[in-house]
Amino acid sequence: MDNEKLLIIRDLHKYYGKHHVLKGVNLEVNEGETLVIIGPSGSGKSTLLRCINLLVKPDKGKIIFDNEEITGKNIDVRKVREKIGFVFQHFNLFLHLTAIENVMLGLVKVKKYPREKARRIAEEALLSVGITEDLWSKYPAQLSGGQQQRVAIARAIAMDPKLLLFDEPTSALDPELIGEVLKVMEKLANEGRTMIVVTHEIGFALKTADRVVFFDDGRVVEEGEPEQVILNPRTERARRFLLSIRELYRLE
Amino acid sequence: MDFVEEILYLTSNYGTDLLNAMLLTIEITFIGFSIGLLLGLPISLGRVYGPLPLKVILATYIEFIRGTPMIVQLFFIYYALPIMGITLDAFTASIIAIGLNSAAYQAEYFRMAFGAIQREQWEAALSIGLSRSTVLTSVVLPQGMRIAIPALTNEIIYLLKYSSIAYFVTVPELVYVSKIIGARTLLHIQIYTVTAVFYISMSIILTKFAKIIEEKTAIPGLVLKGRT
């Protein structure tokens, strides 16, 4: 595997008022790697993802993405975001646009592609996530959660990003719809895309991740091979968290 | 003569006058509403997304308009502006007064509509690299306009009735003409019945028309709600 570092995070801090959310995060992601971040709710995982594509401005520390310090001054935030795809927990499709228009918006307005070219790319992206032609002109409210999330993934990958961020992409889905989304993500990982996935799906992590990070209380607590972190965590905190998650899975 | 006959008498003898007056009422309503829309939309955008000094100025404008009677605003434009060297005819003064007044209210309706758009829509739009202004034109406006339709319907129905304040500066709109006809024929109940029927019919038509627009622009499968 190519070992070039696409993303380097150094001592990243974020405060919301007095609340210290990120307390010095250090993290590196190699090109082509799938990194899974697990950890309890409220530990700052979402904030970390939002810092990476600058939806949230970090208070201290450095983020180097694609050989450029994006936390520095005179950074074109939009250029950075264009290169980083974001998939949200609640899909966040544009409610007034059809599936294909959702995918096309960025291509037309950001990449300035002519509509025909944008449409072609959008069709390709939708097909690659299993959204067939009969669904292209449906509005988000007419699609199932799983279909909406796959359209959202298509919207992200159509922009041809260097990095894909997933913020608990299956947490808002009915259980029977989780599989179709995870399958798409697995396919993307196998295609060699660089991905950071925040999820509680430890099955997906074991199968697909190159590396797993256990995140708690605004810090990286543990990181390593999926089997090691998930099945044999070194720290007590990770052990307790993973035990409760595995318990849950067994009960299901 | 019985009541119906008297009304027929009025409509046959003063039909043209009444019709012209009604058209003038409709004209004042629609022009006033259009001025309000043209100004109200940018005012709300400036108030929600503009820099702080602009926000303060626009908020002050809205408070001023909402805090004073429309008739005072009209008298100011018609009687006070000439003292400062700006003289307007009665019709122009009326549509300007009504337009400026409606702009403040429409700005508030739009502000509520934009506020009802989920923060997630913004996040998603920014995350693909759209600029803030493109998010406004491509995401916020199309959704916000739809949310605002019921409030705007209310507004135009209000204006239909408030257009009658033009009476006070001698614009020959429906109330003004009705009053003259009433005085001339002494058929007061009859003429104001005709007037009332016109206002009610117009407001029913406007409501129906708005409903059609609402349905035509509805997003399939989705109920877009304003903040309640």
Side-chain angles (χ1 to χ4, degrees):
Chain A
M1 185 176 297
D2 190 349
N3 242 1
E4 199 194 324
K5 304 231 179 300
L6 182 68
L7 182 75
I8 303 169
I9 300 174
R10 288 273 174 268
D11 194 33
L12 200 72
H13 290 262
K14 177 67 197 174
Y15 295 83
Y16 284 130
K18 280 201 167 130
H19 186 44
H20 199 174
V21 187
L22 299 181
K23 303 178 177 172
V25 178
N26 289 295
L27 199 64
E28 292 180 356
V29 181
N30 296 323
E31 204 140 328
E33 186 180 37
T34 298
L35 178 77
V36 166
I37 301 179
I38 52 174
S41 306
S43 59
K45 308 179 302 276
S46 285
T47 304
L48 176 63
L49 288 192
R50 279 170 170 73
C51 281
I52 295 173
N53 81 338
L54 303 175
L55 277 177
V56 167
K57 198 176 171 301
D59 292 312
K60 203 186 135 204
K62 260 188 204 179
I63 301 175
I64 297 156
F65 168 69
D66 201 19
N67 299 318
E68 183 183 28
E69 190 190 333
I70 58 171
T71 38
K73 289 197 173 69
N74 302 323
I75 283 295
D76 186 349
V77 174
R78 279 151 58 194
K79 274 269 168 288
V80 174
R81 290 188 185 137
E82 192 187 329
K83 289 194 276 181
I84 300 178
F86 203 111
V87 177
F88 298 87
Q89 181 178 354
H90 296 285
F91 334 132
N92 302 7
L93 291 178
F94 305 123
L95 300 171
H96 63 298
L97 299 179
T98 61
I100 194 155
E101 287 166 349
N102 260 278
V103 183
M104 286 170 66
L105 185 67
L107 298 168
V108 173
K109 300 281 179 187
V110 179
K111 294 218 183 276
K112 311 277 182 207
Y113 290 161
R115 286 194 75 82
E116 310 83 69
K117 183 177 176 189
R119 200 181 164 84
R120 226 175 36 245
I121 296 172
E123 288 173 1
E124 223 171 272
L126 285 166
L127 287 175
S128 79
V129 296
I131 298 292
T132 44
E133 196 172 346
D134 51 314
L135 300 174
W136 291 351
S137 49
K138 294 256 190 259
Y139 287 84
Q142 299 172 303
L143 299 172
S144 75
Q147 290 166 340
Q148 287 189 57
Q149 191 61 299
R150 284 185 286 142
V151 172
I153 294 173
R155 176 175 69 183
I157 59 174
M159 298 294 287
D160 194 24
K162 296 205 158 184
L163 173 65
L164 276 172
L165 306 176
F166 294 82
D167 186 14
E168 299 202 29
T170 58
S171 297
L173 293 175
D174 291 336
E176 74 269 25
L177 302 176
I178 292 176
E180 60 186 73
V181 171
L182 289 182
K183 217 187 288 165
V184 167
M185 291 166 60
E186 217 178 292
K187 188 179 137 210
L188 293 173
N190 292 336
E191 284 169 6
R193 287 182 186 270
T194 317
M195 305 177 12
I196 302 178
V197 183
V198 169
T199 184
H200 296 303
E201 298 291 334
I202 48 175
F204 170 81
L206 280 172
K207 197 167 162 196
T208 315
D210 297 302
R211 208 150 43 93
V212 171
V213 160
F214 177 71
F215 199 86
D216 190 26
D217 194 27
R219 285 186 194 90
V220 172
V221 175
E222 197 169 331
E223 81 177 272
E225 298 277 313
E227 285 81 10
Q228 183 257 304
V229 176
I230 289 170
L231 303 175
N232 292 304
R234 279 186 295 258
T235 56
E236 180 54 32
R237 187 69 194 89
R239 200 162 13 239
R240 254 187 293 141
F241 177 77
L242 282 154
L243 214 62
S244 65
I245 283 205
R246 278 160 58 192
E247 199 66 31
L248 187 71
Y249 268 72
R250 222 167 288 151
L251 285 173
E252 277 179 1
Chain B
M1 281 200 286
D2 69 3
F3 191 72
V4 178
E5 275 178 50
E6 284 158 355
I7 286 184
L8 288 174
Y9 166 79
L10 282 177
T11 49
S12 57
N13 280 280
Y14 296 97
T16 321
D17 296 331
L18 282 170
L19 205 64
N20 283 334
M22 288 170 184
L23 286 176
L24 200 54
T25 287
I26 292 172
E27 220 172 292
I28 295 170
T29 305
F30 278 91
I31 297 176
F33 180 80
S34 306
I35 294 174
L37 184 68
L38 250 55
L39 294 176
L41 193 54
I43 289 175
S44 70
L45 288 173
R47 194 173 173 204
V48 181
Y49 305 110
L52 189 63
L54 185 65
K55 278 183 182 169
V56 173
I57 292 170
L58 295 175
T60 309
Y61 172 75
I62 290 168
E63 283 314 314
F64 178 80
I65 293 285
R66 290 202 304 183
T68 53
M70 201 199 260
I71 187 84
V72 173
Q73 295 157 17
L74 175 60
F75 283 175
F76 186 87
I77 289 173
Y78 189 63
Y79 294 118
L81 284 189
I83 299 169
M84 301 175 207
I86 305 168
T87 308
L88 300 165
D89 63 74
F91 177 78
T92 311
S94 299
I95 57 169
I96 289 178
I98 290 171
L100 289 179
N101 181 285
S102 186
Y105 283 93
Q106 294 194 44
E108 284 299 275
Y109 298 141
F110 282 121
R111 186 171 68 93
M112 280 185 265
F114 297 151
I117 292 167
Q118 301 162 329
R119 199 175 57 94
E120 287 82 0
Q121 296 284 303
W122 269 96
E123 275 200 329
L126 292 175
S127 80
I128 53 174
L130 291 176
S131 65
R132 281 177 65 86
S133 57
T134 313
V135 180
L136 281 180
T137 54
S138 297
V139 179
V140 173
L141 278 181
Q143 293 189 20
M145 293 295 271
R146 288 174 163 99
I147 297 173
I149 290 175
L152 295 181
T153 311
N154 261 340
E155 177 66 12
I156 198 165
I157 289 170
Y158 269 119
L159 289 189
L160 172 70
K161 291 168 293 172
Y162 275 124
S163 67
S164 58
I165 67 157
Y167 161 84
F168 291 104
V169 292
T170 71
V171 175
E173 49 73 61
L174 187 55
V175 171
Y176 186 91
V177 169
S178 299
K179 183 140 191 292
I180 291 175
I181 296 173
R184 202 173 290 168
T185 61
L186 297 179
L187 296 172
H188 291 292
I189 300 179
Q190 293 77 354
I191 188 65
Y192 289 119
T193 303
V194 171
T195 308
V197 167
F198 166 78
Y199 281 115
I200 292 174
S201 316
M202 269 308 288
S203 78
I204 291 173
I205 291 168
L206 285 173
T207 308
K208 287 263 178 261
F209 187 65
K211 197 89 205 141
I212 292 169
I213 294 179
E214 212 175 319
E215 278 161 13
K216 285 255 187 260
T217 58
I219 298 165
L222 184 76
V223 185
L224 269 182
K225 282 202 201 89
R227 202 182 276 158
T228 47

